[in-house]
């Protein structure tokens, strides 16, 4: 459809042949009136209820005019029909409407100044309605097309993804991010890091030394947290999700220039929601998980538990324990949580328990590759960090040095390729415990007693010590981060900084 058919021309008003019943939702008069209001008073843009962009305008010439308006204001120019005139002298669409006279015509009556906020909202809403029409048209066309493989669930997933984009205000024109926008976001991150005291530009893990090493968890990043069974990767992931959600709650209560927390979603394919809740209560009340499960609590412990439950009642942490989730099902559920609760962190426990689309079910490596790509896509789509837990291959157990390496990532090298960061959790205490000799008795030989004494001395050195190995980091250096692990509470914390210099990394 040409500009001549779209714009406010007297000869188009009475066009009885136009298929009005099938016309897309538009209000060209509202677009013209709003642009006119902006050209009369540039400050109109500072008071809008929504962020209006050129793509929200239906008429292409209105898109071009508004884009030039934004550029001029960004350069701190006063934008009027006169200052815009040089940019549109060769604009063919504007020539059909009378050339630069059309710019003056936009400001002729000033009606847009009576209700600029309402006009902007209507332009935005109509743009979303047009996108909904496009989603519906594509859905119908795809559903009627049986020339290829019929995959209704895949079509439903695609439609839901498109609807999520509409709900987020992302209309169909998929233009690249300008360097200006990208650089502004980079400056915002630097400012956040400075305001945090240096080091933290993303969402906090709640563990100071990890935040110092990684600068926090950044939007669109996929973080793989891997380890052998018994290392505590589920505990660490839950600690991080809890800390991030609690920081968000603290910011809502106390305020501040930057929110380093966010509501978090924890997808547990291994443990039930009540098991995870039990862990969190044990951590926060500092009551033994074993005592909590068995009910062997004294009065003081029960009071601490009740206080912790009350304090955490409003924690923005959402647990989904649906078993046997597919990657598409997880993405669908994550979109809903994003839409309803504006989650800012996703944890998946764990990657190998997810299922692919089924097309690669005959090849597990291909299926894991599809899952890891899907998680990275989810991180970018929702603009949140995604922490995905992963198992390691048994090759670790056969080595004398049990510290994991990137080559130990189980089943697919694509996990390493797709990840922005790869973390390994390692506790030498776990392996040393397995070497415990028999407890000597009074009749044991001196050699047996010495053997146990040597083992015990080493055990005391390693007790409660853990290491987070940052094996890959796109945005920074790799290295080891010491952690303190309280196994009775399944809780990770940062060790005291005074102990950092002589902290063992075993």
């Amino acid at each position: 459809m040409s500009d001549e058919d779209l714009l406010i021309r007297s000869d188009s008003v009475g066009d009885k042949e136009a298929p009005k019943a099938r016309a897309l939702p538009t209000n060209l008069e509202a677009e013209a009136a709003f642009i006119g209001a902006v050209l009369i008073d540039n400050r109109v843009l500072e008071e809008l209820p929504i962020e209006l962009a050129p793509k929200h305008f239906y008429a292409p010439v209105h898109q071009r005019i508004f884009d030039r308006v934004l550029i001029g204001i960004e350069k701190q120019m006063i934008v009027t029909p006169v200052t815009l005139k040089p940019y549109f002298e060769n604009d063919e669409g504007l020539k059909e409407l009378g050339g630069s006279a059309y710019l003056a015509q936009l400001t002729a009556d000033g009606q847009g100044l009576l209700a600029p906020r309402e006009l902007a909202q209507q332009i935005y809403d109509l743009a979303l309605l047009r996108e909904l029409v496009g989603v519906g048209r594509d859905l119908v066309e795809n559903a009627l097309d049986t020339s290829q493989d019929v995959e209704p669930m895949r079509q439903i997933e695609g439609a839901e993804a498109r609807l999520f984009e509409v709900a987020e205000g992302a209309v169909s024109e998929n233009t690249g991010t300008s360097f200006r926008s990208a650089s502004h976001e980079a400056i915002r991150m630097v400012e956040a890091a400075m305001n945090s005291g240096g080091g933290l530009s993303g969402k906090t893990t709640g563990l100071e030394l990890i935040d110092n090493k990684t600068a926090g968890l950044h939007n669109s990043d996929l973080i793989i947290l891997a380890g052998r069974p018994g290392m505590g990767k589920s505990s660490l992931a839950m600690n991080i999700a809890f800390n991030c959600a609690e920081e968000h709650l603290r910011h809502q209560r106390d305020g501040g220039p930057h929110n380093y927390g966010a509501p978090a979603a924890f997808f547990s394919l291994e443990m039930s929601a009540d098991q995870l809740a039990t862990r969190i209560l044990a951590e926060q009340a500092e009551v033994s998980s074993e005592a909590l499960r068995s009910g062997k609590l004294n009065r003081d412990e029960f009071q601490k538990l009740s206080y912790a439950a009350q304090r955490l009642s409003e924690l923005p942490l959402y647990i989904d324990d649906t078993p046997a989730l597919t990657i598409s099902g997880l993405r669908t559920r994550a979109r809903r949580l994003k839409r309803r609760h504006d989650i800012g962190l996703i944890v998946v426990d764990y990657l190998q328990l997810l299922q692919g689309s089924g097309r690669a079910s005959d090849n597990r490596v291909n299926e894991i590759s599809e899952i890891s790509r899907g998680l990275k896509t989810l991180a970018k789509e929702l603009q949140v960090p995604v922490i995905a837990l992963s198992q390691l291959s048994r090759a670790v157990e056969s080595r004398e040095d049990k510290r994991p390496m990137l080559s130990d990532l189980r089943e697919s090298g694509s996990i390493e390729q797709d990840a922005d960061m790869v973390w390994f959790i390692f506790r030498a205490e776990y392996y040393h415990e397995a070497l415990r000799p028999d407890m000597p008795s009074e009749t044991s030989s001196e050699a047996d007693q010495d053997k146990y004494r040597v083992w015990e001395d080493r055990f005391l050195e390693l007790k409660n010590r853990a290491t987070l190995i940052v094996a890959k980091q796109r945005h920074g250096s790799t290295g080891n981060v010491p952690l303190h692990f309280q196994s009775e509470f399944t809780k990770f914390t940062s060790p005291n900084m005074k102990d950092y210099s002589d902290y063992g990394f075993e």
Side-chain angles (χ1 to χ4, degrees):
M1 190 177 292
S2 68
D3 292 339
E4 186 176 58
D5 297 320
L6 297 176
L7 300 180
I8 45 176
R9 292 175 62 92
S10 59
D11 58 352
S12 64
V13 174
D15 186 2
K16 298 181 180 180
E17 297 181 2
K20 295 181 181 179
R22 298 181 62 85
L24 289 172
T26 60
N27 187 340
L28 300 177
E29 288 78 7
E31 293 182 5
F34 176 76
I35 293 175
V38 174
L39 293 179
I40 294 172
D41 185 356
N42 294 171
R43 292 173 298 178
V44 164
L45 291 177
E46 299 173 3
E47 303 173 356
L48 297 185
I50 41 86
E51 185 175 351
L52 208 57
K55 61 187 177 183
H56 294 126
F57 291 80
Y58 183 62
V61 71
H62 286 167
Q63 293 177 6
R64 295 193 293 274
I65 293 172
F66 192 67
D67 183 53
R68 179 50 61 180
V69 168
L70 294 180
I71 292 173
I73 291 176
E74 180 69 24
K75 294 180 178 179
Q76 299 183 339
M77 293 172 50
I78 297 176
V79 183
T80 67
V82 175
T83 58
L84 284 182
K85 181 179 177 181
Y87 300 103
F88 290 92
E89 289 180 344
N90 298 317
D91 189 292
E92 295 299 328
L94 199 63
K95 285 181 180 179
E96 296 180 5
L97 299 167
S100 58
Y102 181 72
L103 296 173
Q105 181 185 343
L106 292 172
T107 61
D109 54 20
Q111 288 187 10
L113 288 174
L114 299 177
R117 293 166 59 90
E118 289 76 7
L119 288 172
Q121 188 66 59
Q122 185 180 101
I123 292 168
Y124 183 84
D125 290 345
L126 290 173
L128 295 189
L129 288 177
R130 290 195 297 273
E131 179 63 8
L132 279 176
V133 171
V135 173
R137 181 179 60 245
D138 292 344
L139 183 60
V140 170
E141 289 178 355
N142 292 335
L144 292 175
D145 183 8
T146 58
S147 60
Q148 298 180 357
D149 294 339
V150 178
E151 298 181 76
M153 295 307 299
R154 188 174 180 83
Q155 291 186 28
I156 291 171
E157 180 196 351
E160 187 168 41
R162 290 282 305 279
L163 288 172
F164 176 80
E165 291 177 359
V166 175
E168 291 295 298
V171 292
S172 59
E173 185 180 349
N174 185 21
T175 58
T177 302
S178 69
F179 181 77
R180 180 178 61 198
S181 300
S183 61
H184 284 179
E185 178 62 18
I187 293 298
R188 188 201 63 77
M189 292 175 61
V190 172
E191 182 185 8
M194 293 174 62
N195 289 335
S196 72
L200 184 60
S201 58
K203 296 178 176 68
T204 183
T205 63
L207 298 165
E208 182 182 2
L209 297 182
I210 297 181
D211 285 345
N212 289 345
K213 184 67 177 176
T214 64
L217 308 172
H218 295 89
N219 291 340
S220 80
D221 273 5
L222 172 62
I223 301 105
I224 297 296
L225 172 58
R228 288 295 293 160
M231 290 295 106
K233 54 185 181 296
S234 294
S235 299
L236 179 58
M238 177 53 76
N239 290 167
I240 291 173
F242 173 88
N243 293 338
C244 189
E246 187 178 47
E247 174 61 22
H248 177 75
L249 201 61
R250 185 207 62 75
H251 182 270
Q252 286 189 319
R253 183 183 65 247
D254 302 336
H258 290 280
N259 184 359
Y260 297 103
F266 196 103
F267 289 90
S268 177
L269 287 83
E270 189 174 35
M271 299 174 63
S272 65
D274 60 308
Q275 288 175 319
L276 289 171
T278 300
R279 274 196 175 189
I280 293 174
L281 287 173
E283 293 162 11
Q284 296 306 308
E286 295 196 342
V287 174
S288 166
S289 299
E290 184 177 348
L292 193 58
R293 287 193 300 270
S294 63
K296 297 178 180 178
L297 300 176
N298 59 40
R299 184 175 297 275
D300 289 342
E301 289 174 330
F302 186 77
Q303 285 182 342
K304 285 200 282 187
L305 188 67
S306 299
Y307 176 75
Q310 182 179 4
R311 183 170 63 89
L312 304 177
S313 60
E314 296 182 2
L315 187 73
L317 176 60
Y318 305 94
I319 300 173
D320 188 321
D321 59 359
T322 306
L325 264 181
T326 62
I327 182 62
S328 61
L330 183 142
R331 291 170 66 179
T332 296
R333 290 168 180 268
R335 289 188 197 107
R336 290 172 185 166
L337 287 169
K338 177 69 173 178
R339 189 167 61 246
R340 294 173 183 174
H341 305 293
D342 195 26
I343 58 171
L345 172 66
I346 294 173
V347 178
V348 181
D349 183 15
Y350 57 92
L351 185 151
Q352 280 82 8
L353 288 179
L354 281 171
Q355 299 178 17
S357 63
R359 295 187 299 278
S361 57
D362 59 330
N363 188 320
R364 182 59 176 166
V365 172
N366 289 345
E367 187 175 24
I368 291 295
S369 298
E370 178 192 353
I371 291 168
S372 66
R373 283 195 303 271
L375 291 172
K376 176 59 180 175
T377 301
L378 177 65
K380 293 185 67 176
E381 177 186 348
L382 301 190
Q383 279 297 295
V384 300
V386 173
I387 300 176
L389 278 60
S390 177
Q391 293 281 23
L392 293 179
S393 68
R394 293 182 181 272
V396 176
E397 309 295 341
S398 63
R399 295 197 302 262
E400 183 176 351
D401 185 354
K402 309 291 187 190
R403 302 182 209 206
M405 304 179 293
L406 287 171
S407 58
D408 296 322
L409 283 172
R410 188 173 173 181
E411 292 177 308
S412 177
S414 68
I415 297 177
E416 177 188 347
Q417 295 170 13
D418 294 326
D420 297 280
M421 283 192 279
V422 178
W423 298 347
F424 296 120
I425 188 67
F426 175 69
R427 293 193 301 115
E429 175 191 355
Y430 176 87
Y431 291 107
H432 190 68
E433 175 70 34
L435 301 176
R436 178 193 291 265
D438 293 335
M439 177 79 73
S441 64
E442 293 180 359
T443 60
S444 298
S445 67
E446 187 174 341
D448 288 341
Q449 292 183 15
D450 288 342
K451 181 180 179 181
Y452 188 85
R453 193 178 303 113
V454 170
W455 177 90
E456 189 174 37
D457 289 344
R458 181 60 173 160
F459 178 78
L460 292 175
E461 289 179 11
L462 299 176
K463 185 174 173 59
N464 294 334
R465 291 188 172 188
T467 303
L468 183 77
I469 302 170
V470 181
K472 176 184 177 181
Q473 185 174 194
R474 289 195 202 278
H475 318 299
S477 62
T478 59
N480 294 346
V481 178
L483 294 174
H484 183 76
F485 180 61
Q486 297 170 276
S487 57
E488 64 273 28
F489 310 138
T490 63
K491 183 176 184 179
F492 284 89
T493 56
S494 288
N496 293 329
M497 293 302 292
K498 63 183 179 60
D499 301 327
Y500 182 80
S501 59
D502 62 347
Y503 199 96
F505 287 99
E506 290 86 351

